[in-house]
Amino acid sequence: MPRQSKASPLLSLPGAVAAESPDEGVAAHYGELFREQRALADGSGFVDLSHRGVVTVSGADRLSWLHLLLTQHVSELPPGQATEALVLSANGHIEHALYLVDDGATTWVHVEPGTQEALIGYLESMKFFYQVEVADRTGEFAVVHLPAGSIVPTPEGVVARETSYGRDLFLPRERLEAFAREHGPAAGVLAYEALRVEAHRPRVGLETDHRTIPHELGWIGTAVHLNKGCYRGQETVARVQNLGKPPRRLVFLHLDGSEVGLPGHGAPVRLAADGPEGRQLGFVTTSARHHELGPVALALVKRNVPVDAPLLVGEGTAASQETVVEP
């Protein structure tokens, strides 16, 4: 099992309720889930993601070397430009998702909680004669997320990764509590996850299993560059891209709001016409309560499931689907 980071000091804030796997170590919420969601949607507040792994790559060859290993085109990545990339297995299955930015001297990466050691192990095995240094900086730096539209300035000397959905700060851990006092209110990871589900953004370990390929999750284009040199797993990417037939596809689900509980990760998805005893055609990857949409989820289903078919989730929760990845 991946080793989790130690608990965030922000768990001592009023109302903080600790998150469960895979987000142990930070707050699920601070007592007002929907208020926290609305604040993030309006561009205020921040999210403590200090449980995520932080890795840096330095050295003159860092970008050209990473270009050989990752699915993304990074050999000429300009300083300050954020991007995403994947590490694939030899068979093209997703192993890691890297959220990175280069500051002109160092490439900064954050990854899923507790996975940084495995990633570093792979990177170290591929160094050969390249002038690169790979380091685990999780103990020194905390990831803090500012939502899109936030007017909070990036603190001086802090590396920021800015995207269409917000800014990720690589904040020195000793500055985390002071940042929270100055730029609160804090929002928990449940609010962050609800907005991630709404935006259809996949997450390794939730939207993926041992055989997930990038096409199934819509990561082509955002994390996979189709016109670059070889990397591990590229053969699978090219074959599926040319044939156009990934075995599964990501869907967004609107769930029946009359149900008390949310379906958990792995809950089966079936055609409503087949009833709760019908053949399983997929599984829920992430579910959430959204402040406007109500209960929603992402799910991975077989490619040939009709895009307009009513579905049943878990023990019989009705669900309608929106297409994320075209069949």
Side-chain angles (χ1 to χ4, degrees):
M1 291 292 291
R3 189 176 69 185
Q4 299 295 330
S5 59
K6 63 181 181 180
S8 169
L10 302 193
L11 282 172
S12 64
L13 291 178
V17 174
E20 299 179 351
S21 179
D23 292 318
E24 300 101 325
V26 296
H29 60 83
Y30 296 89
E32 298 183 73
L33 174 60
F34 290 152
R35 180 195 61 76
E36 295 166 27
Q37 278 189 43
R38 287 191 291 269
L40 293 179
D42 291 340
S44 60
F46 71 93
V47 185
D48 175 12
L49 299 179
S50 61
H51 62 316
R52 291 186 64 81
V54 175
V55 176
T56 58
V57 183
S58 57
D61 296 335
R62 68 190 183 283
L63 291 177
S64 59
W65 176 69
L66 287 170
H67 186 80
L68 299 174
L69 306 178
L70 306 180
T71 58
Q72 187 59 275
H73 196 300
V74 297
S75 60
E76 301 170 3
L77 185 67
Q81 180 175 308
T83 192
E84 299 177 13
L86 305 176
V87 171
L88 305 181
S89 72
N91 293 322
H93 302 140
I94 298 169
E95 293 187 348
H96 298 278
L98 287 67
Y99 302 86
L100 64 152
V101 67
D102 193 85
D103 66 6
T106 301
T107 302
W108 294 77
V109 179
H110 68 79
V111 295
E112 288 299 320
T115 65
Q116 65 271 15
E117 291 184 358
L119 173 62
I120 290 172
Y122 169 65
L123 294 178
E124 289 285 352
S125 74
M126 302 299 291
K127 284 174 66 171
F128 304 118
F129 55 84
Y130 291 94
Q131 296 181 40
V132 292
E133 294 295 332
V134 181
D136 183 352
R137 310 297 294 277
T138 310
E140 304 166 65
F141 291 90
V143 179
V144 173
H145 176 76
L146 295 170
S150 173
I151 61 172
V152 173
T154 298
E156 184 177 357
V158 170
V159 175
R161 178 181 175 276
E162 187 159 7
T163 68
S164 60
Y165 55 87
R167 257 179 302 153
D168 296 333
L169 306 180
F170 293 90
L171 187 72
R173 283 191 178 270
E174 66 269 17
R175 297 169 64 178
L176 183 58
E177 291 179 275
F179 183 91
R181 288 193 298 270
E182 186 174 356
H183 300 299
V189 290
L190 288 183
Y192 180 84
E193 285 288 281
L195 299 183
R196 178 183 70 82
V197 170
E198 178 193 16
H200 309 161
R201 299 198 314 270
R203 182 176 172 186
V204 167
L206 292 177
E207 276 63 59
T208 66
D209 58 19
H210 66 284
R211 58 192 179 96
T212 307
I213 60 175
H215 298 76
E216 296 176 325
L217 303 183
W219 250 327
I220 301 299
T222 60
V224 178
H225 195 287
L226 294 175
N227 297 308
K228 57 160 286 186
C230 292
Y231 54 86
R232 191 174 71 174
Q234 186 191 26
E235 183 179 351
T236 297
V237 171
R239 182 172 65 250
V240 175
Q241 182 68 19
N242 292 330
L243 294 177
K245 294 183 178 180
R248 301 176 297 181
R249 60 185 180 88
L250 189 68
V251 297
F252 177 77
L253 302 179
H254 293 271
L255 304 174
D256 179 2
S258 65
E259 299 289 340
V260 175
L262 287 172
H265 175 78
V269 176
R270 302 177 172 89
L271 291 176
D274 294 340
E277 303 301 321
R279 182 166 62 97
Q280 181 173 342
L281 299 175
F283 63 95
V284 169
T285 59
T286 306
S287 59
R289 297 192 187 278
H290 191 276
H291 69 287
E292 290 182 340
L293 302 176
V296 293
L298 293 173
L300 202 57
V301 300
K302 292 182 180 296
R303 176 176 54 86
N304 58 3
V305 172
V307 296
D308 57 351
L311 302 174
L312 286 181
V313 174
E315 298 300 317
T317 300
S320 61
Q321 57 173 310
E322 291 183 12
T323 300
V324 176
V325 174
E326 294 288 345

